[in-house]
Amino acid sequence: MIIRMFKLRLLNAVAPAYFFSATAVTFIFHFCFFIPTIFQSPGISLRVSTVIHTAVFLYLMLNALGNYVMTIKYPAESANETVIPACSADCSDKIDAHYLLNGRHFCKLCKKVILRRDHHCFFTGNCIGNKNMRYFIMFCIYTSCTCLYSLVLGVAFLTVEYNISFENPLTFLTLLPLSTGYFFLGVISGLQFFLVLMLYVWLGIGLVCAGFCCQQVLLVARGQTYCQMKRGQLVESCSSWKDNLSDVFGSHWAVGLFLPVQTVEAFSGEVAAHHHKHD
């Protein structure tokens, strides 16, 4: 138990550092390699395509970072409980959190009582619940879009700079093993190998975030949390799927789709806890 908690706390510290490192690397590749190479224009100071792709990348990246900050700024913790309640008798969570009652959990990593806890996100370093679920979902969406967009530009960069054709799907599948061999043989530089590695990182993060986002939206529409699903507990929500989505995304949900702004009322998490007393 002690070793498992140590690993979780270590992951809780390393994951945010990995996120910011990957973000910085993505910025550097875009503005130092992709944009100048793919959209180079001799004799022309600035092309329209350069402006458009730069604006698209900044929009996706800043939305991802903005929702990341909002996820941390508006935590799902209970503002009314400073004393940790006793764990309920039917608690099945023995590692990272204790299930209390009325949809409340005590997270051992956050050391706080969490309302309608869904899961603990190691990349943000806090728990995800009704109060910040909307920001977390949008963070996943824009992170996925940013990574997949970076993947497309990365492939275009390799095509323009090194004349690598990706018309055959096997080219991308064999790119990493071949690049690894060429790197150890001294055929390609460390920067070239690192770029190829980042292509697979962007693909992996993009697909994982997209899949995780779909799962979270489905759970929200059903009025269920990941904690309940993990315990095998099926919840019949009293509200419709539209009301469940509105409870998480807020009344001004359309604005929140395009801008990382607060669209969820501060007290929505407290109200939701009372609506799910038997979860």
Side-chain angles (χ1 to χ4, degrees), residues 111-148:
K111 295 183 178 180
K112 295 175 183 177
V113 176
I114 309 299
L115 297 173
R116 291 279 295 161
R117 182 182 187 267
D118 186 87
H119 68 282
H120 183 92
C121 177
F122 293 99
F123 287 100
T124 60
N126 66 346
C127 280
I128 308 301
N130 255 38
K131 286 184 178 180
N132 56 3
M133 176 61 75
R134 165 257 183 275
Y135 309 115
F136 176 76
I137 291 176
M138 297 309 301
F139 163 66
C140 289
I141 291 176
Y142 280 104
T143 299
S144 177
C145 292
T146 303
C147 289
L148 296 179

Side-chain angles (χ1 to χ4, degrees), residues 28 33 61 67 72 80-81 92 94 105 111 126 131-132 187 215 225 227 231 236 244 259:
I28 293 172
F33 297 95
M61 179 64 79
N67 282 287
I72 301 174
N80 301 326
E81 295 185 75
S92 59
K94 302 299 183 183
H105 282 79
K111 295 183 178 180
N126 66 346
K131 286 184 178 180
N132 56 3
V187 178
Q215 172 188 277
T225 65
C227 281
R231 294 201 306 268
E236 294 184 4
N244 291 332
L259 296 173

